[in-house]
């Protein structure tokens, strides 16, 4: 249903069905994605017909080649929620200028926990980035996250818990896999390591896992995140709190910039640089082969913990497990067992280019182009562009990768605030050297 609604006074039995069917047919004719319509046809219509609900119409693009957008994008979405009176309230209109999100202080943790339990959304800081949290075992709450982020359902969510004891019931694993999970949890939890294993499908919703049969879990080390999990009393599913494909947020204001039109509470935390790691968690998948009696720890997404650290922790106890690096890049139509594997991800609004580490004299055309370029440098490799570019920052003058990663996402967000910027340049980095 991708026409901008100007007014609608009532909701008949047939109107949402007709509207969605028309949208599916139109999208199919245009060769566009239709997964979103099928998802909401199954989730929304039964509640409209059989249960008290209201349909909220708000502005965001359902289908686009760029997955993060400005608030002026004029499309609509269907969504259901319980009305405060418990009766059918029909359609509610949200204009493009409406601010629905709410900033809350750390003193509201108990209220935030109750909000999570009731199936609503709360954005909170972790040691990596801000997460958009919901009740992980509530399918409708999980659906709200996908809707708010405009996230394809092929991209699963990570469940956040406070202990291994809370995580183990969500997995259905062999004794060998359980042993490996316990070794890694003891070594790296709480912390920025996400573990993927076979899901216990009696408790884990398929929507949470992209219907792959695997569920991702981690235990954050951030004190506020742990306090929120305790206050909620339920596992919290939390992808990064931004529009899908955009740069992950490391400050409350970043979350508000992306999600101010969504029904989400955003916990403000001081200092603003509370996400000390600054980049996403490392994601690994645990896989045991009963035929060879050997196990694999597949690194699916690079993050704060390296493959070397993982292998070292395992070899100190057992030789049955080997770490292998298997990151992949897929289209949004391909279901993944872990997030962060789409071709386009963590991208700012400006196009980004990697510049060769070999310095060279700039030609006249290149020199003039720099007047519209933001340079994000590392160890001064692009310092020769400093005087000619529109804006310049060095993530780490000393070439410290940990220091650089802690401010990477925040700096990419900063690049979007520079007037007249059309490009971002970053240097090629020798990973063997740094």
């Amino acid at each position: 249903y991708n026409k901008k609604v100007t007014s609608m006074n009532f909701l008949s039995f047939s109107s949402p069905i007709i509207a969605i069917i028309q949208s599916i047919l139109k999208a199919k004719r245009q060769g566009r994605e239709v997964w979103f319509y099928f998802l909401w046809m199954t989730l929304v219509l039964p509640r409209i017909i059989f249960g008290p609900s209201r349909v909220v119409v708000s502005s965001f693009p359902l289908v686009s080649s760029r997955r993060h957008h400005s608030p002026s994008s004029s499309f609509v979405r269907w969504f259901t929620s319980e009305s405060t009176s418990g009766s059918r309230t029909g359609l509610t209109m949200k204009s493009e200028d409406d601010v629905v999100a709410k900033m809350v202080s750390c003193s509201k943790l108990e209220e935030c926990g109750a909000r999570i339990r009731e199936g609503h959304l709360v954005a909170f800081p972790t040691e990596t980035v801000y997460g958009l949290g919901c009740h992980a075992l509530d399918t409708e709450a999980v659906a709200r996250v996908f809707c708010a982020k405009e996230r394809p359902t092929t991209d699963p969510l990570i469940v956040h818990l406070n202990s291994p004891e809370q995580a183990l019931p969500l997995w259905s694993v062999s004794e060998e896999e359980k042993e490996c999970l316990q070794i890694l949890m003891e070594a790296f939890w709480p912390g920025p390591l996400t573990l993927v294993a076979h899901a216990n499908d009696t408790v884990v919703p398929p929507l949470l896992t992209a219907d792959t049969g695997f569920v991702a879990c981690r235990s954050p080390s951030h004190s506020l995140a742990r306090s929120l999990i305790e206050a909620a009393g339920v596992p919290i599913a939390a992808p990064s709190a931004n529009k899908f494909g955009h740069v992950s947020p490391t400050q409350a204001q970043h979350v508000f910039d992306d999600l101010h039109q969504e029904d989400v509470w955003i916990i403000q935390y001081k200092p603003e640089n509370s996400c000390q790691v600054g980049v996403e968690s490392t994601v690994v998948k645990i896989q045991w082969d009963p035929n060879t009696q050997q196990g694999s720890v597949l690194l699916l997404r690079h993050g704060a913990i390296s493959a070397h650290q993982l292998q070292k922790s395992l070899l100190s106890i057992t030789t049955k497990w080997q770490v292998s690096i298997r990151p992949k890049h897929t289209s949004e139509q391909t279901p993944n067992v872990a997030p962060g594997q789409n071709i386009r991800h963590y991208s700012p609004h400006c196009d980004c280019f990697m510049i060769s580490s070999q310095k060279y004299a700039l030609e006249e055309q290149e020199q003039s182009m720099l007047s519209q370029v933001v340079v994000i440098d590392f160890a001064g490799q692009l310092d020769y562009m400093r005087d000619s570019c529109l804006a310049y920052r060095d993530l780490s003058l000393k070439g410290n990768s940990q220091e650089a990663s802690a401010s990477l996402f925040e700096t990419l967000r900063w690049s979007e605030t520079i007037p007249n910027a059309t490009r971002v340049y970053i240097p090629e980095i020798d990973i063997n050297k740094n």
Side-chain angles (χ1 to χ4, degrees), residues 77-99:
R77 69 177 167 92
W78 293 85
F79 191 73
T80 61
S81 63
E82 298 296 332
S83 66
T84 55
S85 64
S87 61
R88 193 183 307 273
T89 57
L91 281 171
T92 301
M93 190 63 195
K94 278 175 28 177
S95 74
E96 294 173 358
D97 297 325
D98 283 348
V99 173

Side-chain angles (χ1 to χ4, degrees), residues 110-132:
E110 290 300 324
E111 292 93 328
C112 289
R115 182 175 169 84
I116 293 280
R117 286 194 303 275
E118 293 165 2
H120 298 288
L121 309 184
V122 175
F124 61 98
T126 74
E127 73 276 18
T128 57
V129 300
Y130 258 80
L132 181 61

Side-chain angles (χ1 to χ4, degrees), residues 11-12 81 93 105 118 137 158 205 216 231 240 273 285 309 313 322 337 357 373 412 416:
L11 177 64
S12 69
S81 63
M93 190 63 195
S105 70
E118 293 165 2
L137 307 183
I158 296 173
S240 57
N273 61 340
K285 179 185 175 184
Q309 290 173 291
S313 67
Q322 292 295 318
V337 299
S357 58
V373 170
L412 286 171
E416 297 176 339

Side-chain angles (χ1 to χ4, degrees), residues 5-290:
V5 176
T6 55
S7 65
M8 191 172 291
N9 299 321
F10 65 93
L11 177 64
S12 69
F13 175 83
S14 61
S15 60
I17 300 175
I18 294 172
I20 295 176
I21 291 175
Q22 287 175 337
S23 295
I24 292 173
L25 294 175
K26 182 176 180 180
K28 186 174 182 180
R29 286 197 303 270
Q30 296 176 351
R32 300 162 73 183
E33 301 171 12
V34 298
W35 62 265
F36 184 93
Y37 302 102
F38 286 113
L39 171 66
W40 291 110
M41 181 180 287
T42 57
L43 290 177
V44 175
L45 290 184
R47 287 176 56 83
I48 294 174
I49 298 169
F50 299 112
S53 64
R54 65 187 174 94
V55 178
V56 179
V57 182
S58 69
S59 298
F60 87 74
L62 300 182
V63 182
S64 173
S65 59
R66 293 181 69 89
R67 287 292 178 179
H68 50 274
H69 311 274
S70 64
S72 62
S73 302
S74 56
F75 290 83
V76 300
R77 69 177 167 92
W78 293 85
F79 191 73
T80 61
S81 63
E82 298 296 332
S83 66
T84 55
S85 64
S87 61
R88 193 183 307 273
T89 57
L91 281 171
T92 301
M93 190 63 195
K94 278 175 28 177
S95 74
E96 294 173 358
D97 297 325
D98 283 348
V99 173
V100 182
K102 179 181 178 181
M103 292 280 203
V104 298
S105 70
C106 299
S107 63
K108 299 287 187 181
L109 274 185
E110 290 300 324
E111 292 93 328
C112 289
R115 182 175 169 84
I116 293 280
R117 286 194 303 275
E118 293 165 2
H120 298 288
L121 309 184
V122 175
F124 61 98
T126 74
E127 73 276 18
T128 57
V129 300
Y130 258 80
L132 181 61
C134 74
H135 189 329
L137 307 183
D138 181 339
T139 299
E140 188 172 332
V142 173
R144 284 191 172 98
V145 169
F146 281 99
C147 186
K149 283 179 61 68
E150 305 166 39
R151 182 187 184 99
T153 55
T154 54
D155 201 25
L157 309 184
I158 296 173
V159 182
H160 292 64
L161 314 107
N162 276 347
S163 69
E165 291 73 25
Q166 295 172 347
L168 286 171
L170 302 183
W171 288 314
S172 177
V173 293
S174 66
E175 286 301 316
E176 292 82 3
E177 289 170 332
K178 182 178 179 181
E179 178 188 20
C180 179
L181 288 167
Q182 289 176 325
I183 293 172
L184 294 176
M185 287 188 288
E186 184 176 346
F188 299 106
W189 280 17
L193 176 65
T194 295
L195 300 171
V196 178
H198 285 281
N200 180 353
D201 56 14
T202 62
V203 294
V204 177
L207 183 60
L208 182 76
T209 68
D211 204 20
T212 61
F214 290 85
V215 65
C217 298
R218 92 172 184 95
S219 180
S221 61
H222 196 291
S223 59
L224 190 141
R226 298 183 67 80
S227 296
L228 178 62
I229 295 170
E230 183 176 352
V234 296
I236 296 179
S240 57
N242 55 285
K243 291 297 184 183
F244 179 75
H246 196 197
V247 180
S248 298
T250 57
Q251 299 175 12
Q253 186 60 48
H254 296 165
V255 181
F256 186 83
D257 291 343
D258 275 24
L259 302 180
H260 63 275
Q261 287 193 300
E262 306 301 333
D263 183 15
V264 55
W265 284 13
I266 305 169
I267 301 177
Q268 293 178 292
Y269 190 83
K270 301 295 182 180
E272 288 190 348
N273 61 340
S274 61
C275 301
Q276 297 293 334
V277 174
V279 293
E280 310 285 356
S281 64
T282 300
V283 178
V284 296
K285 179 185 175 184
I286 309 303
Q287 193 168 292
W288 176 257
D289 187 340

